[in-house]
């Protein structure tokens, strides 16, 4: 139906003129060899219309197209016949010929250059200058959102220049910041970076970190990370402005929530209880686990004692799924290190940590690294893992409903057991 409708429109185009013509645009030869057809679906088209987009990649790299928050790989296909790009009207105007077709596919951000560039600043003999955000945007094959997320996780900006932040250093400063917040009696709903920095300097004479480090820590713990920004020059970062009450409505507003009684302008940030729970869990496991791991009841006891009073402890199981795994020996817990953002490299990383993973556990650990199309991953975790792992059955003491021993499915390396 669509095909015949298109034929009809083309026919209508020709009957509009007494002498329909097909002619070449004057710049047709100028764009020869430089025009391509880009094939995208409706969702991608809508995304490209709403967000600015760029194509990134050097002569030695596969190019990617980036929007504000997503990266697309570009797969090029040579067409068997020449395609002509035409404008339909009273006559047909030919603008360009295309011999190549591009297909855009949701892809993983390529962040290797970011780490290489930041490490180059640490070279002892000839260190490179610390890059600005604009320099990194031009260099790294990732969307602005993905790049900023990785910078918040692994780096720090001081006076607009970015440098690498060692994980151990970040963990230590995070612990100091949370201890300082509790000692100062601050509410987790309104934490001010400058006030915390002053508190750390007063309580710890050896503390020499700039305020940007505290801002970086709060950004990682924030419920809404975009709220954590440096204060504008000339402002008092502790000032809270409250509108004066309206006498005509003061009595009527007594039963309304505080947010409706007054508007508060503050530079404070609300911290995520979930982020604090996960940080505390990683810290307890890293410090308390033995060679084979840590008993669950021992973990829960220490973890509960380490949390601020405002943070509840009723979801330890959910926290453990994010920060720990069960080792090969019994049910002892072991801390899970930071995982790679690329799903294939994450799978390889997990297999280095442990030889065998229950299929459901490993699929849960890789699913958030798979590129998404809308709300859903572009492929199922089991499909991705089948390219990098093999599935085996192992007896781990599980029993069926009749009490009979059953085998459990595990993922392992495709080469495990084959090179003996």
């Amino acid at each position: 139906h669509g095909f015949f409708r298109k034929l009809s429109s083309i026919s209508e185009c020709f009957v509009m003129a007494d002498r329909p013509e097909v002619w070449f645009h004057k710049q047709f030869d100028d764009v020869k060899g430089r025009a391509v057809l880009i094939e995208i679906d409706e969702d991608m088209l809508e995304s490209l219309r709403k967000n600015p987009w760029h194509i990134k990649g050097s002569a030695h790299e596969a190019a990617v197209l980036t929007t504000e928050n997503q990266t697309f790989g570009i797969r090029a296909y040579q067409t068997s016949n020449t395609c002509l790009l035409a404008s339909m009207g009273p006559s047909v105007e030919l603008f360009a010929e295309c011999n190549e077709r591009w297909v855009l596919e949701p892809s993983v951000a390529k962040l290797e250059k970011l780490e290489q560039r930041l490490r180059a600043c640490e070279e002892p003999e000839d260190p490179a200058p610390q890059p600005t955000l604009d320099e990194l945007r031009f260099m790294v094959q990732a969307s602005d959102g993905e790049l900023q997320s990785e910078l918040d996780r692994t780096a720090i900006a001081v006076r607009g220049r970015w440098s690498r932040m060692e994980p151990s250093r970040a963990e230590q400063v995070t612990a100091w910041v949370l201890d300082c917040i509790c000692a100062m009696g601050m509410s987790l709903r309104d934490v001010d970076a400058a006030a915390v920095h002053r508190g750390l300097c007063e309580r710890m004479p050896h503390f020499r970190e700039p305020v940007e480090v505290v801002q970086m820590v709060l950004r990682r713990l924030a419920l809404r990370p975009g709220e954590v920004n440096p204060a504008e020059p000339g402002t008092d970062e502790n000032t809270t402005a409250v509108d004066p009450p309206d006498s005509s409505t003061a009595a009527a507003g007594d039963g309304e929530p505080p947010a409706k009684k007054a508007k508060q302008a503050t530079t404070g940030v609300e911290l995520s209880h979930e982020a604090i729970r996960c940080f505390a869990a990683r810290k307890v496991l890293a410090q308390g686990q033995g060679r084979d791991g840590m008993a669950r009841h021992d973990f829960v006891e220490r973890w509960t004692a380490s949390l601020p009073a405002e943070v509840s402890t009723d979801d330890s199981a959910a926290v453990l799924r994010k920060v720990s795994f069960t080792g090969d020996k019994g049910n002892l817990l072991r801390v899970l290190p930071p995982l790679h953002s690329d799903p294939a490299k994450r799978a390889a990383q997990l297999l280095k940590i442990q030889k065998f993973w229950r299929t459901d556990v490993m699929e849960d650990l890789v699913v958030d690294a798979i590129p998404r199309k809308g709300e859903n991953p572009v492929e199922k975790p089991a499909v991705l893992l089948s390219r990098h792992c093999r599935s085996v059955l192992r007896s781990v003491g599980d029993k069926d409903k009749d009490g009979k021993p059953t085998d459990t499915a595990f993922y392992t390396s495709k080469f495990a057991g084959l090179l003996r």
Side-chain angles (χ1 to χ4, degrees):
H1 177 69
F3 175 74
F4 286 107
R5 185 169 63 247
K6 290 178 182 178
L7 281 183
S8 174
S9 66
I10 294 173
S11 300
E12 291 173 3
C13 161
F14 285 109
V15 300
M16 290 171 61
D18 294 335
R19 294 186 177 183
E21 298 178 348
V22 178
W23 58 287
F24 290 89
H25 189 273
K26 60 182 180 181
Q27 294 183 334
F28 182 90
D29 291 331
D30 295 338
V31 297
K32 187 173 182 179
R34 296 190 290 117
V36 297
L37 296 173
I38 302 179
E39 182 179 325
I40 58 178
D41 59 28
E42 290 297 326
D43 292 337
M44 289 186 188
L45 178 61
E46 191 65 23
S47 175
L48 295 179
R49 281 176 170 168
K50 291 180 179 179
N51 303 300
W53 50 285
H54 310 275
I55 293 178
K56 300 181 181 181
S58 68
H60 306 291
E61 296 174 316
V64 298
L65 183 146
T66 65
T67 62
E68 184 178 3
N69 292 301
Q70 194 168 5
T71 301
F72 296 92
I74 301 175
R75 182 172 294 183
Y77 298 92
Q78 293 292 328
T79 58
S80 56
N81 295 318
T82 298
C83 298
L84 298 177
L85 181 64
S87 172
M88 308 301 293
S91 60
V92 178
E93 186 175 5
L94 304 178
F95 284 91
E97 67 174 69
C98 307
N99 297 98
E100 192 172 66
R101 177 171 62 94
W102 289 1
V103 177
L104 301 186
E105 300 172 340
S107 179
V108 176
K110 300 180 179 180
L111 299 166
E112 290 80 4
K113 272 192 173 181
L114 173 60
E115 182 177 359
Q116 294 170 5
R117 181 65 180 83
L118 294 180
R119 284 188 180 277
C121 303
E122 303 171 358
E123 292 293 332
E125 295 183 359
D126 186 21
Q130 294 175 340
T132 64
L133 182 58
D134 285 341
E135 290 171 346
L136 292 174
R137 282 174 176 163
F138 178 79
M139 175 191 312
V140 180
Q141 290 181 288
S143 68
D144 287 353
E146 292 165 324
L147 173 60
Q148 189 63 58
S149 177
E150 185 67 10
L151 286 171
D152 289 342
R153 191 179 71 85
T154 62
I156 178 176
V158 177
R159 293 184 291 277
R161 296 280 177 174
W162 288 89
S163 59
R164 205 164 60 92
M165 187 73 171
E166 285 289 349
S168 58
R169 176 186 170 202
E171 293 281 303
Q172 181 62 74
V173 176
T174 302
W176 289 340
V177 166
L178 290 175
D179 288 344
C180 183
I181 290 172
C182 294
M184 296 175 67
M186 280 189 179
S187 169
L188 299 180
R189 293 180 177 273
D190 187 14
V191 179
D192 180 73
V196 174
H197 184 258
R198 288 194 296 270
L200 287 169
C201 292
E202 292 170 1
R203 288 168 170 75
M204 303 171 61
H206 64 281
F207 186 79
R208 294 291 184 269
E209 301 286 359
V211 68
E212 287 87 353
V213 173
V214 176
Q215 291 168 345
M216 180 271 299
V217 167
L218 294 182
R219 193 157 44 241
R220 294 183 180 186
L221 298 175
L223 189 62
R224 292 172 288 276
E227 292 181 347
V228 187
N229 295 309
E232 295 182 4
T235 61
D236 182 355
E237 295 183 347
N238 292 320
T239 299
T240 300
V242 181
D243 293 343
D246 185 348
S247 59
S248 62
T249 59
D254 286 345
E256 294 182 355
K260 292 188 177 181
K261 291 182 181 180
K263 296 179 181 179
Q264 295 187 352
T266 175
T267 58
V269 60
E270 182 176 0
L271 301 189
S272 164
H273 289 200
E274 180 183 6
I276 293 174
R277 282 191 287 262
C278 288
F279 170 78
R282 285 195 300 269
K283 181 181 175 183
V284 168
L285 284 171
Q287 293 178 347
Q289 70 180 21
R291 180 177 179 181
D292 297 324
M294 187 177 189
R296 188 180 298 265
H297 64 85
D298 193 16
F299 162 79
V300 173
E301 182 179 345
R302 297 190 191 186
W303 175 66
T304 302
S306 70
L307 291 173
E310 290 181 59
V311 180
S312 65
T313 62
D314 55 357
D315 56 354
S316 61
V319 171
L320 285 173
R321 282 196 297 271
K322 295 181 180 179
V323 305
S324 71
F325 67 100
T326 303
D328 289 331
K329 298 183 179 181
N331 293 319
L332 297 179
L333 300 170
R334 296 168 62 188
V335 67
L336 196 64
L339 297 178
H340 204 287
S341 58
D342 182 281
K345 293 180 179 179
R346 180 175 294 194
Q349 180 185 8
L350 290 171
L351 291 174
K352 287 183 179 179
I353 295 171
Q354 186 170 270
K355 290 183 179 180
F356 295 93
W357 290 86
R358 291 179 72 114
T359 54
D360 56 338
V361 173
M362 193 166 184
E363 289 171 8
D364 285 344
L365 290 174
V366 301
V367 66
D368 63 327
I370 299 175
R372 292 182 174 270
K373 184 177 179 181
E375 295 296 326
N376 302 315
V378 295
E379 66 177 342
K380 294 181 179 179
V383 175
L384 180 140
L385 289 172
S386 67
R387 298 198 296 270
H388 308 282
C389 312
R390 63 190 178 99
S391 183
V392 296
L393 295 176
R394 302 180 72 202
S395 177
V396 292
D398 293 340
K399 297 181 179 181
D400 60 18
K401 60 182 180 180
D402 297 325
K404 296 180 180 180
T406 62
D407 290 334
T408 304
F410 284 80
Y411 284 120
T412 189
S413 169
K414 284 191 173 183
F415 304 103
L418 300 181
L419 302 178
R420 294 177 182 174

